[in-house]
Amino acid sequence: MTFEEYMRVANYLSAAQIFLQDNFLLEQDLTFDDIKPRLLGHWGSDPGVNFAYAHLSKLAKKFGQEMMFVLGPGHAFPALQANLFLEGTLGKFYPEATHTYEGISYICRNFSWPYGFPSHSNPGTPGVILEGGELGYSLATSYGAALDNRNLIVACLVGDGEAETGPAATAWHLNKLVNPKTNGTVLPILHLNGYKISAPTIFGRMSDDELGSLFKGYGYEPQIVSGDNLHEQMEETLDWAHQLIWDIKEAPETRVSPRLPMIVMRTLKGWTGIKELNGDKIEGNCLSHQVVLTEAKTDPEQLKMLNDWLRSYRFNELFSRDNGFGDFLNDIFPEPASRLGMTPHARGGDPV
């Protein structure tokens, strides 16, 4: 399975959780009965989360790297849930979340539903040590998790809206307090999609030169992933970051506050989703932040737009009732015990 195919699957499942209560394989065109009576959830950050999760998983597989994933914008929970479902971790703790049609039905019907799964990251989510209801604490939490775990890389996805909060703005300086030779390493990834819930972000209005200068000033070695060939760029950048981290760890001399890597990851908000609605730009705009087709349950035009959007992922080419996903997901994920959601560091060090 290529990164592009994985993104199609993960983006489809992220959107399906928000909208669908039936007809999960789009075996017929959507009807109003297929749409949830109350639409809740956040779409805009989901594609970027799926992008990062896939590449971090492949990095862990390639190098046998012990990794933890901390999701700063925890409201992007449909994406995190989709990835945990795909890697099989969710099914370890919620046995009904199988790679079957019934398993897809289970995660979609129970997303943001009473006695089901909340709409934000939560303590019941495998691999999670940070709740998603309040922004700003992802970096501080990540640096705490790295202490006394020398072989661990904590990949921390920081939303650019979240990065404007006081706690996040201050926590960039924690790199000066952690010794990478005796502790683990935090790999910050600034998810720069340019917009928060109702306006552009400060970081979204900065040039690449300004961003590079800022994070160099914070003591990091920044790389920017942006523009064309994003998958190729991200894979190469993560390989570079991994090499730099271990070069610093294994260097014979001890440097004070070594310049460790961080990544600025530019993707469109609402990437691959609805482009325009009622004359307003949706993809690449703050209007994709939450539910983008709020009247899909009652408006025929919005229902058709949703139908066309979900069909654009061609999910049925990568999943079938008879074979599920096949073996393709193993091209992305490491062995089950090493997958991001299975990290024992999220369970107090207890293995499953």
Side-chain angles (χ1 to χ4, degrees), residues 45-294:
S45 296
D46 288 355
V49 173
N50 292 331
F51 176 80
Y53 202 98
H55 281 275
L56 291 167
S57 295
K58 187 65 176 285
L59 181 77
K61 176 183 176 68
K62 186 186 301 184
F63 296 106
Q65 175 62 54
E66 186 179 356
M67 295 196 72
M68 173 184 279
F69 179 65
V70 173
L71 177 63
H75 53 268
F77 185 65
L80 181 58
Q81 182 93 313
N83 287 285
L84 292 170
F85 172 75
L86 289 169
E87 72 174 23
T89 298
L90 195 67
K92 293 284 187 182
F93 299 92
Y94 300 90
E96 292 178 83
T98 54
H99 284 181
T100 62
Y101 183 86
E102 290 73 24
I104 293 172
S105 171
Y106 171 74
I107 64 167
C108 289
R109 287 179 173 169
N110 283 282
F111 170 75
S112 198
W113 202 252
Y115 308 106
F117 300 110
S119 63
H120 289 58
S121 300
N122 63 91
T125 307
V128 162
I129 60 171
L130 176 73
E131 287 202 73
E134 189 172 0
L135 299 175
Y137 306 103
S138 56
L139 271 175
T141 300
S142 297
Y143 276 104
L147 295 176
D148 298 324
N149 287 310
R150 182 179 185 274
N151 295 325
L152 180 66
I153 293 178
V154 184
C156 179
L157 194 71
V158 183
D160 53 351
E162 175 195 15
E164 297 180 10
T165 65
T170 304
W172 292 107
H173 295 290
L174 289 169
N175 59 348
K176 302 164 185 65
L177 305 178
V178 177
N179 182 349
K181 285 187 168 293
T182 56
N183 298 294
T185 304
V186 175
L187 175 61
I189 303 173
L190 177 64
H191 183 197
L192 203 161
N193 61 28
Y195 294 88
K196 47 197 172 187
I197 190 169
S198 61
T201 61
I202 293 171
F203 285 99
R205 293 184 171 186
M206 295 172 67
S207 69
D208 287 354
D209 287 344
E210 289 175 314
L211 290 165
S213 296
L214 176 67
F215 288 107
K216 283 181 181 177
Y218 282 160
Y220 293 92
E221 189 64 41
Q223 287 282 349
I224 296 175
V225 174
S226 178
D228 298 327
N229 303 315
L230 284 175
H231 288 294
E232 181 179 342
Q233 285 187 58
M234 190 64 171
E235 188 168 20
E236 291 176 354
T237 299
L238 284 174
D239 287 353
W240 160 81
H242 185 266
Q243 184 67 52
L244 179 56
I245 287 167
W246 281 100
D247 284 349
I248 290 171
K249 281 184 177 294
E250 295 175 348
E253 75 280 1
T254 299
R255 286 187 282 166
V256 177
S257 299
R259 193 177 291 278
L260 286 158
M262 67 85 59
I263 298 170
V264 177
M265 186 183 84
R266 284 189 186 270
T267 68
L268 289 174
K269 196 173 185 79
W271 185 20
T272 74
I274 297 295
K275 313 301 182 191
E276 184 178 298
L277 178 64
N278 298 328
D280 293 323
K281 180 181 179 181
I282 304 298
E283 183 189 56
N285 194 9
C286 62
L287 297 179
S288 65
H289 187 83
Q290 293 178 293
V291 179
V292 295
L293 295 169
T294 57

Side-chain angles (χ1 to χ4, degrees), residues 12 36 231 303 312:
Y12 176 84
K36 291 182 176 181
H231 288 294
L303 180 68
S312 72

